[in-house]
Amino acid sequence: MGVALITIGCNNNTYSRLRDQEDKLIANYISRNGLQIVTEEPGPDHIWGEKEFYKVAGVDNCYFHLISRGDSVRIDSISPTKIDTVNLKIIANDLIVARYKQFGLTEHADTLSYWSTLDQAFPYEFHYLNTSECESTAWHLAVRLMKYPDSQCEIIVPSKLGFSQEQSSVTPYVYIIKIKVKQ
């Protein structure tokens, strides 16, 4: 009986072991896809390479790639020569409307698509920096790094920064996210 309990205990994955496997899966994904990792946050005028990802400072294994910068400049409709950039940055409590694709990090992983109304009637909505509406810390990091409405990014999300289901199953995902701000 004691030998059986020891055998069962040795076969079970501990959280630590699952996290180690997750770290290896993320590293393998980066290597397999030839991603170029930078450790300093690119400036606002930076032109992102197709496979260039920023390793988000202060968190483990969270990587961000800006696909489209969005609307950082608004032209005044009354005076087309006047440009207003003050009110365009996303701020705390802005209502974010997101469409996204989610896929696993293994080869030939399934993709969940919530990209259009054909996939899902309504987009995912949450208030920026309100983690009771969107518990994925990585999504809030992505919005912070996108900065502006109509931005699009790709982000590698380790389980501990993901949604509660991802946290409990220790499953990392890649998301392609496009956002708007609801007025």
Side-chain angles (χ1 to χ4, degrees):
M1 180 78 152
V3 173
L5 290 175
I6 292 172
T7 304
I8 291 170
C10 291
N11 289 335
N12 286 340
N13 281 327
T14 63
Y15 179 73
S16 176
R17 191 172 300 146
L18 292 171
R19 286 281 298 121
D20 288 343
Q21 290 172 354
E22 178 183 47
D23 291 345
K24 289 175 187 173
L25 182 61
I26 292 171
N28 186 337
Y29 178 83
I30 290 168
S31 175
R32 187 175 65 246
N33 289 286
L35 304 183
Q36 300 156 351
I37 306 303
V38 297
T39 55
E40 288 188 30
E41 184 177 342
D45 296 326
H46 180 75
I47 298 172
W48 289 73
E50 185 179 334
K51 293 185 178 257
E52 182 179 21
F53 277 72
Y54 164 57
K55 184 177 188 313
V56 180
V59 293
D60 292 334
N61 283 330
C62 185
Y63 298 88
F64 173 86
H65 170 74
L66 186 65
I67 297 170
S68 172
R69 192 169 309 280
D71 292 334
S72 61
V73 176
R74 178 175 48 215
I75 297 174
D76 190 314
S77 60
I78 296 170
S79 175
T81 58
K82 182 180 177 187
I83 297 175
D84 179 15
T85 59
V86 177
N87 296 321
L88 291 180
K89 280 194 174 180
I90 296 171
I91 58 172
N93 237 13
D94 276 349
L95 182 58
I96 304 299
V97 178
R99 289 286 184 182
Y100 66 96
K101 294 178 186 178
Q102 170 195 341
F103 53 95
L105 277 65
T106 58
E107 289 188 75
H108 313 294
D110 288 336
T111 300
L112 294 176
S113 182
Y114 301 97
W115 202 249
S116 71
T117 54
L118 295 174
D119 301 325
Q120 178 77 20
F122 299 102
Y124 183 70
E125 293 185 0
F126 63 97
H127 287 91
Y128 176 51
L129 297 180
N130 183 340
T131 55
S132 66
E133 291 180 3
C134 174
E135 73 267 17
S136 175
T137 306
W139 277 49
H140 293 279
L141 285 170
V143 170
R144 178 179 61 84
L145 292 167
M146 285 191 275
K147 296 181 180 129
Y148 304 108
D150 298 318
S151 294
Q152 185 175 331
C153 79
E154 182 173 346
I155 188 166
I156 300 170
V157 179
S159 62
K160 65 184 176 181
L161 299 178
F163 292 94
S164 56
Q165 182 178 348
E166 297 158 11
Q167 292 172 14
S168 61
S169 66
V170 191
T171 306
Y173 285 104
V174 173
Y175 289 94
I176 298 174
I177 306 169
K178 61 182 175 181
I179 62 168
K180 295 188 177 293
V181 175
K182 195 172 194 178
Q183 300 298 330

